Amino acid sequence: MRSFLPLLALSVLAATSSQAEEDSPDLEVALCYISESIYGATRMAWAPDDSGRLFVVTMRGEVRVIVNGVESPTAFISEHLNHYERQGMLGIAFDPDFANNHYVYFFAALPNFKLQIFRYTDAGGIGVDRTVIVEDIPAGDLDYDGGGLTFGPDGMLYFGVGDLHGYGPEDDLTQPTSKIHRVRPDGTIPTDNPFYDGDGPNVDSTWARGFRNLYGLAFQPGTGRLWANVSGRMANQIFSVSRGDHGGWGPYENNQPEGYLAPVHSYLPNGVFDEYPFAQQAGAVRQNGVATFTLGGTYYESYAYRKGTRLTIVDVEDPSFNGDFYVTGHPDSRTFTVDQPEPDAVSGGGGLLRRSQGEFIMGGMFYEGLRFPESYRGNYLFTDFRGMLHRIRFAADGSVATEDIIVNREPSAGFVDVNEGPDGALYLLSYQGGVLRVTPVPVAQALIVSPLDLSIPEGETKTVMVSLAMPPTVDVWVKVDVQGGEGDLTVAEGGSLRFTRENWSVPQFVTLSAARDADADVEHASFTFTPTQAFPAVTVQARTVEAETQSLQVSESSLAMDEGAQAAFTVALAYATTVPVTVTVARTSGDAEVSFPEGATLTFAPGEGETPKTVTVAATLPATSTDDTAVLTVSALGLESRAVTVTVRALPDADAGMSVDAGTGGDAGGVDAGAEADAGPRLDAGSGHDAGTVPSPMEDESGGCSAGAAALPVVLGGWLMAGLMWRPRRIRR
């Protein structure tokens, strides 16, 4: 039996002969990764820093990171949750300023029936500094806690809380349930939220309400509207939500009256087929290329079949009415229309059939990449737990034009999320611990290179992924050449790649490097990827992101010395230079006469600069009865950096002892410093960091998941069988 389980996993997640016919014919679907370490997966997201890191959130509280085809052996975080006790990780979102602050946000159901949003800071691939953003939200069954989490174009953090299986009515603004919430990234609440009442009883974070279980949230580019995937009792619904909207739950599901927000798309849950008869007399009428169908029963109004819904018309007496069509409109509550460019006709009988659309709506996204044909740009894609990827296309007026299932692995694939990868491909996440890669069927051989435009901070590297569009007839070598960049932008690794019929779809990685230099100029370079066969080369544009301006670092800003004595300070550069740098020290003003027994001129060779060099200063003439000072200027040639000044104070002979007393000034400074250290609350404030203890990282088994790998790691047995039997509690009931 054990030897059969890996094959069972592949039969569920990978294409089979019967299921492949149900995939969109213009798509290729491949299982690229499967691992026990991501079993119980709930969400995934690509780090927005061109690192190629895929973060996978699991129900048990671990977040695993897959980068350049290899899973990190150490979890990014481990919250140690037990989903059998109604705990689990439900959402992930990267801060819009992640490149600078490295914040990653998570939504989780924690012990003692509490929902919490918290963030970690990414420190070299490990999450540190756990900080609670929103807490003390009551939790219910996991199926009803919500979990949608995303940042809006306004920089605010939006999250969805479900109905918590009966923990408060949706119309009660004093309860957080069945609502979309909006907070600042630090958890504070904007006063322009629609139900904000300050010291009043409302939950001020409420932004919209009336949604049973909010799992997927995504903002639509260009409109600023928030799309929400809502799993319901009688209907799975997708809403396009604005500030203050009411989705109608609990009285209404897909039958919202005026005054409530109607869904843009909906379907029946639990994997059922939908069949409904037409009126027996003149139930089908076609005129001027538009067919109007009249529902015969009274159970549904025609609005149950939203615009863009795909229906199969069957058994109409005039067979010219039969076939597959998309709903185009609703003349009234009992009729709907479809386009049929055929002669006018009238007929009776028949009805509609709508095949299963799934059982539990999950994550969604808008596709903005370039890998797929232009017809995919701006489409809304969403997953259903039954194992389906849906695609919504839009009409010119922004309404839904068509909805189709484009990937189908029902009934047990457990699709929970969909993301666009850095290579422009679509990636599907399965609860069973698998990642599938979806790409368009190529029409011609080509290099697939991503990203095509990138910025590289000085001293760092970025990775470019390269693969072929289709299997080659002979091996293809790809050479990478650089033009421009003044030598600062180079190929650090992967300048020559080889693709065969076995590895053509597995992305290989080219590492581009930006050197630190001594100027603040942004360098630009073009990297050309040229294949040995006769199909087009691809060019990647890159630029440097300049580090802090190179600067001189001096150890002392002031010196005090007795007559005839010497003092010293050191000079270094902020970072090692790539060009020779000469530093000079000279007296530029003041009454005291000084000389430089050592270090009046310092030279830093390429690669040097961070190791300090010493400058020795001597007071050469007798000081007067008052302190004399001199101002030294430290400057550099061949370096764009501000000069630095050092003040020298020569002490009169009679006051020589004061140089010792001056040391007490140092002590005074020590006392002050101590007083600052004694500002104990600062250190205690740091203990606020202890408000969320960072768990010790846990090691787990790793495996390779390149963005598009065709290789299939071995699957361990028992966990998978358990996963295939899993269903959300609501569905089991």
Side-chain angles (χ1 to χ4, degrees):
M1 179 62 179
R2 287 185 179 273
S3 63
F4 174 69
L5 289 172
L7 300 177
L8 181 59
L10 303 186
S11 70
V12 171
L13 293 176
T16 64
S17 59
S18 61
Q19 292 165 343
E21 296 175 357
E22 299 187 27
D23 292 341
S24 176
D26 63 345
L27 299 180
E28 292 181 338
V29 183
L31 177 63
C32 78
Y33 186 75
I34 189 166
S35 170
E36 183 180 11
S37 64
I38 61 170
Y39 172 71
T42 57
R43 289 304 180 116
M44 66 177 171
W46 296 86
D49 60 357
D50 296 330
S51 65
R53 292 182 295 166
L54 178 62
F55 284 59
V56 178
V57 175
T58 66
M59 187 67 79
R60 64 179 175 272
E62 283 193 352
V63 177
R64 311 298 303 190
V65 178
I66 302 164
V67 55
N68 289 357
V70 179
E71 184 180 332
S72 173
T74 303
F76 180 75
I77 62 171
S78 296
E79 287 284 319
H80 304 295
L81 303 178
N82 184 348
H83 75 268
Y84 294 108
E85 296 180 3
R86 300 176 182 178
Q87 303 164 23
M89 295 279 281
L90 302 172
I92 180 175
F94 286 94
D95 193 285
D97 195 30
F98 176 79
N100 294 314
N101 60 32
H102 309 294
Y103 291 159
V104 192
Y105 294 75
F106 299 97
F107 191 155
L110 301 180
N112 300 317
F113 295 94
K114 293 293 184 183
L115 297 177
Q116 191 177 94
I117 294 174
F118 47 86
R119 78 169 183 236
Y120 279 85
T121 301
D122 176 21
I126 298 296
V128 299
D129 296 336
R130 188 185 194 276
T131 302
V132 176
I133 304 300
V134 180
E135 61 180 338
D136 295 332
I137 301 174
D141 287 345
L142 279 174
D143 299 339
Y144 305 93
D145 284 341
L149 183 68
T150 190
F151 276 93
D154 57 358
M156 300 296 177
L157 184 63
Y158 292 75
F159 60 95
V161 177
D163 71 356
L164 307 182
H165 199 39
Y167 282 75
E170 64 288 334
D171 279 331
D172 185 352
L173 292 172
T174 69
Q175 299 289 330
T177 51
S178 297
K179 296 175 180 71
I180 298 172
H181 298 265
R182 174 179 180 258
V183 298
R184 296 187 182 95
D186 63 1
T188 58
I189 299 173
T191 58
D192 61 347
N193 279 353
F195 304 105
Y196 185 92
D197 65 351
D199 294 332
N202 288 355
V203 176
D204 290 331
S205 60
T206 301
W207 187 75
R209 55 182 168 155
F211 308 99
R212 188 188 187 217
N213 191 29
L214 293 145
Y215 192 79
L217 296 178
F219 277 90
Q220 184 175 22
T223 69
R225 293 180 69 86
L226 177 61
W227 279 51
N229 292 353
V230 178
S231 176
R233 178 177 293 132
M234 300 301 296
N236 288 322
Q237 302 172 94
I238 300 175
F239 293 90
S240 178
V241 189
S242 292
R243 178 182 184 275
D245 280 342
H246 194 318
W249 173 260
Y252 306 110
E253 286 188 297
N254 199 27
N255 60 344
Q256 291 86 346
E258 186 175 353
Y260 292 90
L261 179 67
V264 296
H265 182 68
S266 69
Y267 59 94
L268 295 177
N270 299 320
V272 300
F273 282 78
D274 185 7
E275 300 178 70
Y276 208 84
F278 297 144
Q280 292 304 302
Q281 301 296 322
V285 177
R286 185 168 55 237
Q287 188 174 13
N288 298 325
V290 176
T292 301
F293 297 94
T294 301
L295 300 182
T298 58
Y299 187 75
Y300 283 152
E301 292 189 342
S302 62
Y303 304 114
Y305 306 103
R306 300 287 166 183
K307 185 175 182 293
T309 297
R310 181 177 177 177
L311 299 175
T312 301
I313 308 300
V314 296
D315 297 331
V316 177
E317 293 172 3
D318 181 344
S320 68
F321 284 95
N322 297 329
D324 290 334
F325 305 97
Y326 299 102
V327 174
T328 58
H330 302 87
D332 57 50
S333 64
R334 304 304 304 160
T335 62
F336 66 87
T337 59
V338 304
D339 289 337
Q340 286 190 354
E342 300 205 25
D344 293 355
V346 177
S347 184
L352 64 85
L353 174 66
R354 188 182 189 187
R355 63 177 178 169
S356 168
Q357 303 290 291
E359 58 186 355
F360 198 80
I361 192 169
M362 306 300 278
M365 57 157 284
F366 289 92
Y367 184 77
E368 290 296 300
L370 300 175
R371 178 85 181 242
F372 281 74
E374 181 64 25
S375 61
Y376 276 80
R377 292 291 301 277
N379 289 185
Y380 185 64
L381 306 168
F382 65 94
T383 54
D384 186 280
F385 187 82
R386 192 169 177 85
M388 299 171 177
L389 175 64
H390 296 248
R391 175 190 181 192
I392 288 179
R393 287 177 280 185
F394 298 96
D397 63 358
S399 64
V400 174
T402 64
E403 181 276 335
D404 292 284
I405 298 171
I406 59 174
V407 177
N408 193 346
R409 294 293 180 274
E410 64 172 330
S412 301
F415 290 167
V416 291
D417 207 1
V418 57
N419 253 227
E420 177 188 330
D423 60 347
L426 294 173
Y427 289 83
L428 287 168
L429 179 66
S430 168
Y431 183 89
Q432 322 298 352
V435 179
L436 285 80
R437 181 172 182 258
V438 184
T439 54
V441 174
V443 296
Q445 184 61 285
L447 286 177
I448 306 299
V449 181
S450 181
L452 295 175
D453 188 274
L454 70 167
S455 300
I456 310 176
E458 284 189 342
E460 298 184 20
T461 61
K462 289 290 179 71
T463 299
V464 176
M465 295 190 295
V466 186
S467 60
L468 298 185
M470 59 176 59
T473 54
V474 297
D475 289 3
V476 174
W477 290 85
V478 178
K479 305 290 185 182
V480 186
D481 298 305
V482 59
Q483 301 85 35
E486 302 296 329
D488 290 346
L489 289 162
T490 58
V491 179
E493 188 175 353
S496 181
L497 310 174
R498 183 182 184 181
F499 293 96
T500 68
R501 291 188 62 83
E502 287 71 37
N503 75 348
W504 63 274
S505 66
V506 181
Q508 298 185 44
F509 302 97
V510 177
T511 303
L512 307 183
S513 174
R516 287 190 177 228
D517 57 20
D519 59 52
D521 296 334
V522 176
E523 305 294 347
H524 296 262
S526 299
F527 292 87
T528 302
F529 293 68
T530 305
T532 54
Q533 302 302 310
F535 54 93
V538 175
T539 300
V540 172
Q541 301 295 335
R543 69 195 64 80
T544 60
V545 177
E546 294 299 300
E548 71 281 3
T549 302
Q550 179 69 287
S551 60
L552 293 165
Q553 314 286 309
V554 297
S555 60
E556 306 290 342
S557 60
S558 64
L559 300 170
M561 67 186 72
D562 295 336
E563 174 189 338
Q566 295 183 355
F569 64 92
T570 62
V571 179
L573 302 181
Y575 52 83
T577 180
T578 57
V579 296
V581 173
T582 300
V583 176
T584 59
V585 185
R587 186 182 71 84
T588 54
S589 63
D591 298 324
E593 294 293 333
V594 298
S595 63
F596 303 99
E598 180 185 7
T601 301
L602 305 173
T603 300
F604 294 95
E608 296 182 340
E610 295 175 307
T611 301
K613 295 179 182 290
T614 301
V615 178
T616 304
V617 185
T620 57
L621 295 179
T624 63
S625 59
T626 59
D627 295 356
D628 283 349
T629 61
V631 177
L632 311 182
T633 298
V634 184
S635 58
L637 300 176
L639 178 69
E640 293 185 6
S641 172
R642 293 182 179 178
V644 179
T645 60
V646 177
T647 302
V648 176
R649 183 160 58 97
L651 302 176
D653 230 1
D655 294 334
M658 290 180 61
S659 66
V660 176
D661 294 339
T664 64
D667 291 339
V671 172
D672 290 342
E676 185 173 345
D678 287 339
R682 280 197 194 177
L683 298 178
D684 292 341
S687 69
H689 157 35
D690 292 336
T693 304
V694 180
S696 301
M698 294 184 62
E699 293 192 0
D700 204 341
E701 296 192 14
S702 63
C705 179
S706 77
L712 305 178
V714 175
V715 182
L716 301 181
W719 62 269
L720 179 62
M721 179 61 77
L724 295 179
M725 300 301 293
W726 183 86
R727 287 288 185 281
R729 290 186 180 87
R730 180 183 65 81
I731 295 171
R732 285 207 303 267
R733 285 195 296 271

Coordinates of all heavy atoms in Angstrom, one line a residue, residues 648-716:
V648 N 41.6 70.8 17.2 CA 42.7 70.6 18.1 C 42.8 71.7 19.1 O 42.8 72.9 18.6 CB 44.0 70.4 17.3 CG1 45.2 70.2 18.3 CG2 44.0 69.2 16.4
R649 N 42.8 71.4 20.4 CA 42.9 72.4 21.4 C 44.3 72.3 22.1 O 44.5 71.2 22.7 CB 41.8 72.3 22.4 CG 41.8 73.4 23.4 CD 40.4 73.5 24.1 NE 39.9 72.3 24.6 CZ 40.0 72.0 25.9 NH1 40.5 72.9 26.8 NH2 39.5 70.9 26.4
A650 N 45.1 73.2 22.0 CA 46.4 73.2 22.7 C 46.3 73.9 24.1 O 45.9 75.0 24.2 CB 47.5 73.9 21.9
L651 N 46.6 73.2 25.1 CA 46.4 73.6 26.5 C 47.7 74.4 27.0 O 48.8 73.9 26.8 CB 46.2 72.5 27.4 CG 44.9 71.6 27.1 CD1 44.8 70.4 28.0 CD2 43.7 72.4 27.1
P652 N 47.5 75.6 27.6 CA 48.6 76.3 28.2 C 49.4 75.5 29.2 O 48.8 74.6 29.9 CB 48.0 77.6 28.8 CG 46.7 77.7 28.2 CD 46.2 76.3 27.9
D653 N 50.7 75.8 29.4 CA 51.5 75.1 30.4 C 50.9 75.1 31.8 O 50.9 74.1 32.4 CB 52.9 75.7 30.4 CG 54.0 74.7 30.2 OD1 53.6 73.5 30.1 OD2 55.2 75.0 30.2
A654 N 50.5 76.3 32.2 CA 50.0 76.4 33.6 C 48.8 75.5 33.8 O 48.4 75.2 34.9 CB 49.7 77.8 33.9
D655 N 48.1 75.3 32.8 CA 46.8 74.5 32.9 C 47.0 73.1 32.5 O 46.0 72.4 32.2 CB 45.7 75.2 32.0 CG 45.4 76.5 32.5 OD1 45.5 76.8 33.7 OD2 44.9 77.4 31.7
A656 N 48.3 72.7 32.4 CA 48.5 71.3 32.0 C 47.7 70.3 32.7 O 47.2 69.3 32.2 CB 50.0 71.0 32.0
G657 N 47.6 70.6 34.1 CA 46.9 69.6 34.9 C 45.5 69.5 34.5 O 44.8 68.5 34.8
M658 N 45.0 70.6 33.9 CA 43.6 70.5 33.4 C 43.3 69.4 32.4 O 42.2 69.0 32.2 CB 43.2 71.9 32.9 CG 43.1 73.0 33.9 SD 42.6 74.5 33.2 CE 41.0 74.1 32.5
S659 N 44.4 69.0 31.8 CA 44.2 67.9 30.8 C 43.7 66.7 31.6 O 42.9 65.9 31.1 CB 45.5 67.6 30.0 OG 46.5 67.1 30.9
V660 N 44.2 66.6 32.9 CA 43.7 65.5 33.7 C 42.3 65.7 34.1 O 41.4 64.9 34.0 CB 44.6 65.3 34.9 CG1 44.0 64.2 35.8 CG2 46.0 64.9 34.5
D661 N 42.1 67.0 34.5 CA 40.7 67.4 34.9 C 39.7 67.2 33.7 O 38.6 66.9 33.8 CB 40.6 68.8 35.4 CG 41.4 69.0 36.7 OD1 41.6 67.9 37.4 OD2 41.8 70.1 37.0
A662 N 40.3 67.5 32.5 CA 39.5 67.4 31.3 C 39.0 65.9 31.2 O 37.9 65.7 30.7 CB 40.2 67.7 30.1
G663 N 39.8 65.0 31.8 CA 39.3 63.7 31.8 C 38.1 63.5 32.6 O 37.2 62.7 32.3
T664 N 37.9 64.3 33.7 CA 36.7 64.3 34.4 C 35.5 64.7 33.6 O 34.4 64.2 33.7 CB 36.7 65.1 35.7 OG1 36.8 66.5 35.3 CG2 37.9 64.7 36.6
G665 N 35.8 65.6 32.6 CA 34.8 65.9 31.6 C 34.4 64.6 30.9 O 33.2 64.4 30.6
G666 N 35.4 63.8 30.6 CA 35.0 62.5 30.0 C 34.2 61.7 31.0 O 33.3 61.0 30.6
D667 N 34.6 61.8 32.3 CA 33.8 61.1 33.3 C 32.4 61.6 33.3 O 31.4 60.9 33.5 CB 34.4 61.1 34.7 CG 35.7 60.3 34.8 OD1 35.9 59.5 33.9 OD2 36.5 60.6 35.7
A668 N 32.3 62.9 33.2 CA 30.9 63.5 33.2 C 30.1 63.0 32.0 O 29.0 62.6 32.2 CB 31.0 65.0 33.1
G669 N 30.9 62.9 30.9 CA 30.2 62.3 29.8 C 29.8 60.8 30.1 O 28.8 60.4 29.7
G670 N 30.7 60.2 30.8 CA 30.4 58.8 31.2 C 29.1 58.8 32.1 O 28.3 57.9 31.9
V671 N 29.0 59.7 33.0 CA 27.8 59.8 33.8 C 26.6 60.0 33.0 O 25.6 59.4 33.1 CB 28.0 60.9 34.9 CG1 26.7 61.1 35.6 CG2 29.1 60.5 35.9
D672 N 26.7 61.0 32.0 CA 25.6 61.2 31.2 C 25.2 60.0 30.4 O 24.1 59.7 30.2 CB 25.9 62.4 30.2 CG 26.0 63.7 31.0 OD1 25.5 63.8 32.1 OD2 26.6 64.7 30.4
A673 N 26.3 59.4 29.9 CA 26.0 58.2 29.1 C 25.3 57.1 30.0 O 24.4 56.4 29.6 CB 27.3 57.6 28.5
G674 N 25.8 57.1 31.2 CA 25.2 56.1 32.1 C 23.8 56.5 32.4 O 22.9 55.7 32.5
A675 N 23.5 57.8 32.5 CA 22.1 58.3 32.7 C 21.3 57.9 31.6 O 20.1 57.5 31.7 CB 22.1 59.8 32.9
E676 N 21.9 58.0 30.4 CA 21.1 57.5 29.2 C 20.8 56.1 29.3 O 19.7 55.6 29.0 CB 21.8 57.9 27.9 CG 21.0 57.6 26.7 CD 21.8 58.1 25.5 OE1 22.7 58.9 25.6 OE2 21.4 57.7 24.4
A677 N 21.8 55.3 29.7 CA 21.6 53.9 29.8 C 20.6 53.6 30.9 O 19.8 52.6 30.8 CB 22.9 53.2 30.1
D678 N 20.6 54.5 32.0 CA 19.7 54.3 33.0 C 18.2 54.6 32.7 O 17.3 54.4 33.4 CB 20.1 55.1 34.3 CG 21.3 54.5 34.9 OD1 21.6 53.3 34.7 OD2 22.0 55.2 35.7
A679 N 18.1 55.2 31.5 CA 16.7 55.4 31.0 C 16.1 54.1 30.7 O 15.9 53.7 29.6 CB 16.7 56.3 29.8
G680 N 16.1 53.3 31.8 CA 15.7 51.9 31.8 C 14.5 51.6 30.9 O 14.5 50.6 30.2
P681 N 13.5 52.5 30.9 CA 12.3 52.2 30.1 C 12.7 51.9 28.6 O 12.0 51.2 27.9 CB 11.4 53.4 30.2 CG 11.8 53.9 31.6 CD 13.3 53.6 31.7
R682 N 13.8 52.5 28.1 CA 14.2 52.2 26.7 C 14.5 50.7 26.6 O 14.0 50.1 25.7 CB 15.5 53.0 26.4 CG 15.2 54.4 26.0 CD 16.4 54.9 25.2 NE 16.3 56.4 25.1 CZ 17.3 57.1 24.6 NH1 18.3 56.5 24.1 NH2 17.1 58.4 24.5
L683 N 15.3 50.2 27.5 CA 15.6 48.8 27.5 C 14.3 48.0 27.7 O 14.1 46.9 27.1 CB 16.7 48.4 28.5 CG 18.0 49.2 28.3 CD1 19.0 48.8 29.4 CD2 18.6 48.8 26.9
D684 N 13.5 48.4 28.7 CA 12.3 47.7 28.9 C 11.4 47.7 27.7 O 10.7 46.8 27.4 CB 11.6 48.3 30.2 CG 12.4 48.1 31.4 OD1 13.2 47.2 31.4 OD2 12.1 48.8 32.4
A685 N 11.4 48.9 27.0 CA 10.6 49.0 25.8 C 11.0 47.9 24.9 O 10.2 47.3 24.2 CB 10.7 50.3 25.2
G686 N 12.3 47.6 24.9 CA 12.8 46.5 24.0 C 12.2 45.2 24.4 O 11.9 44.3 23.6
S687 N 11.9 45.1 25.7 CA 11.2 43.9 26.2 C 9.8 43.8 25.6 O 9.2 42.7 25.6 CB 11.2 43.8 27.7 OG 10.3 44.7 28.2
G688 N 9.3 44.9 25.1 CA 8.0 44.8 24.4 C 8.1 43.8 23.2 O 7.2 43.2 22.8
H689 N 9.4 43.7 22.7 CA 9.7 42.7 21.7 C 9.4 41.3 22.2 O 9.0 40.5 21.5 CB 11.1 42.9 21.4 CG 11.8 41.8 20.7 ND1 11.3 40.9 19.9 CD2 13.1 41.4 20.8 CE1 12.1 40.0 19.5 NE2 13.3 40.3 20.1
D690 N 9.4 41.2 23.6 CA 9.1 39.9 24.1 C 7.6 39.6 24.1 O 7.2 38.5 24.5 CB 9.6 39.8 25.6 CG 11.1 39.8 25.6 OD1 11.7 39.4 24.5 OD2 11.7 40.1 26.6
A691 N 6.8 40.6 23.8 CA 5.4 40.4 23.7 C 5.0 39.3 22.8 O 4.0 38.7 22.9 CB 4.7 41.7 23.3
G692 N 5.9 39.0 21.9 CA 5.8 37.8 21.0 C 7.1 37.1 21.0 O 8.0 37.5 20.4
T693 N 7.2 36.0 21.7 CA 8.4 35.3 21.8 C 8.7 34.7 20.4 O 7.9 34.1 19.8 CB 8.4 34.2 22.8 OG1 8.0 34.8 24.1 CG2 9.7 33.5 23.0
V694 N 9.9 34.8 20.0 CA 10.3 34.2 18.7 C 10.7 32.8 18.9 O 11.6 32.5 19.7 CB 11.6 35.0 18.1 CG1 12.0 34.3 16.8 CG2 11.2 36.4 17.9
P695 N 9.9 31.9 18.4 CA 10.2 30.4 18.6 C 11.6 30.0 18.0 O 12.0 30.7 17.1 CB 9.1 29.7 17.9 CG 8.1 30.8 17.6 CD 8.8 32.1 17.5
S696 N 12.1 29.0 18.5 CA 13.4 28.5 17.9 C 13.0 27.9 16.6 O 12.0 27.2 16.4 CB 14.0 27.4 18.8 OG 14.2 27.9 20.1
P697 N 13.9 28.2 15.6 CA 13.6 27.6 14.2 C 13.6 26.1 14.3 O 14.4 25.5 15.0 CB 14.7 28.2 13.4 CG 15.2 29.4 14.1 CD 15.0 29.1 15.6
M698 N 12.7 25.5 13.6 CA 12.7 24.0 13.5 C 13.2 23.6 12.2 O 12.7 24.1 11.1 CB 11.3 23.6 13.8 CG 10.7 23.9 15.2 SD 9.1 23.1 15.4 CE 9.4 21.4 15.2
E699 N 14.0 22.6 12.2 CA 14.4 22.0 10.9 C 13.4 21.0 10.4 O 12.8 20.3 11.2 CB 15.8 21.4 11.1 CG 16.9 22.4 11.4 CD 18.3 21.8 11.2 OE1 18.4 20.6 10.9 OE2 19.3 22.5 11.4
D700 N 13.3 20.9 9.1 CA 12.4 20.0 8.5 C 13.0 19.5 7.2 O 14.1 19.9 6.8 CB 11.1 20.7 8.2 CG 9.9 19.7 8.1 OD1 10.2 18.5 8.0 OD2 8.8 20.2 8.2
E701 N 12.4 18.5 6.7 CA 12.9 17.9 5.4 C 12.8 19.0 4.3 O 11.8 19.7 4.2 CB 12.2 16.6 5.0 CG 12.4 15.5 6.1 CD 12.0 14.2 5.6 OE1 11.7 14.1 4.4 OE2 11.8 13.3 6.3
S702 N 13.8 19.0 3.4 CA 13.7 20.0 2.3 C 13.7 19.2 1.0 O 14.0 18.1 0.9 CB 15.0 20.9 2.4 OG 16.1 20.1 2.2
G703 N 13.3 20.0 0.0 CA 13.2 19.4 -1.3 C 13.3 20.5 -2.3 O 13.2 21.7 -2.0
G704 N 13.5 20.2 -3.6 CA 13.7 21.2 -4.6 C 12.4 21.6 -5.2 O 11.6 20.8 -5.6
C705 N 12.2 22.9 -5.3 CA 11.0 23.4 -6.0 C 11.5 24.6 -6.8 O 11.4 25.7 -6.4 CB 9.9 23.8 -5.1 SG 8.5 24.5 -6.1
S706 N 12.1 24.3 -8.0 CA 12.4 25.5 -8.8 C 11.1 26.0 -9.4 O 10.1 25.3 -9.5 CB 13.4 25.1 -9.9 OG 12.8 24.4 -10.9
A707 N 11.2 27.2 -9.9 CA 10.0 27.8 -10.5 C 9.8 27.2 -11.8 O 10.2 27.7 -12.9 CB 10.1 29.3 -10.6
G708 N 9.2 26.0 -11.8 CA 9.0 25.3 -13.1 C 9.7 24.0 -13.2 O 9.8 23.4 -14.3
A709 N 10.2 23.5 -12.1 CA 10.9 22.2 -12.2 C 10.0 21.1 -12.6 O 8.8 21.0 -12.2 CB 11.5 21.9 -10.8
A710 N 10.5 20.2 -13.5 CA 9.6 19.1 -13.9 C 9.9 17.9 -13.0 O 9.1 17.0 -13.0 CB 9.9 18.8 -15.3
A711 N 11.0 17.9 -12.3 CA 11.4 16.7 -11.4 C 10.4 16.6 -10.3 O 9.9 17.6 -9.8 CB 12.8 16.9 -10.9
L712 N 10.0 15.4 -9.9 CA 9.1 15.2 -8.8 C 9.7 14.5 -7.7 O 10.1 13.3 -7.7 CB 7.9 14.3 -9.3 CG 7.2 14.9 -10.6 CD1 6.1 13.9 -11.0 CD2 6.6 16.3 -10.3
P713 N 9.9 15.2 -6.5 CA 10.6 14.5 -5.4 C 9.7 13.4 -4.9 O 8.5 13.4 -5.0 CB 10.7 15.7 -4.3 CG 10.6 16.9 -5.1 CD 9.7 16.6 -6.3
V714 N 10.3 12.5 -4.2 CA 9.6 11.3 -3.6 C 8.6 11.8 -2.6 O 9.0 12.6 -1.7 CB 10.6 10.3 -3.1 CG1 9.8 9.2 -2.4 CG2 11.4 9.7 -4.2
V715 N 7.5 11.2 -2.5 CA 6.5 11.6 -1.5 C 6.4 10.6 -0.4 O 6.3 9.4 -0.7 CB 5.1 11.8 -2.2 CG1 4.1 12.2 -1.2 CG2 5.1 12.7 -3.3
L716 N 6.4 11.0 0.8 CA 6.2 10.1 1.9 C 4.7 9.7 2.0 O 3.9 10.5 1.6 CB 6.7 10.7 3.2 CG 8.2 11.0 3.1 CD1 8.7 11.6 4.5 CD2 9.1 9.8 2.8

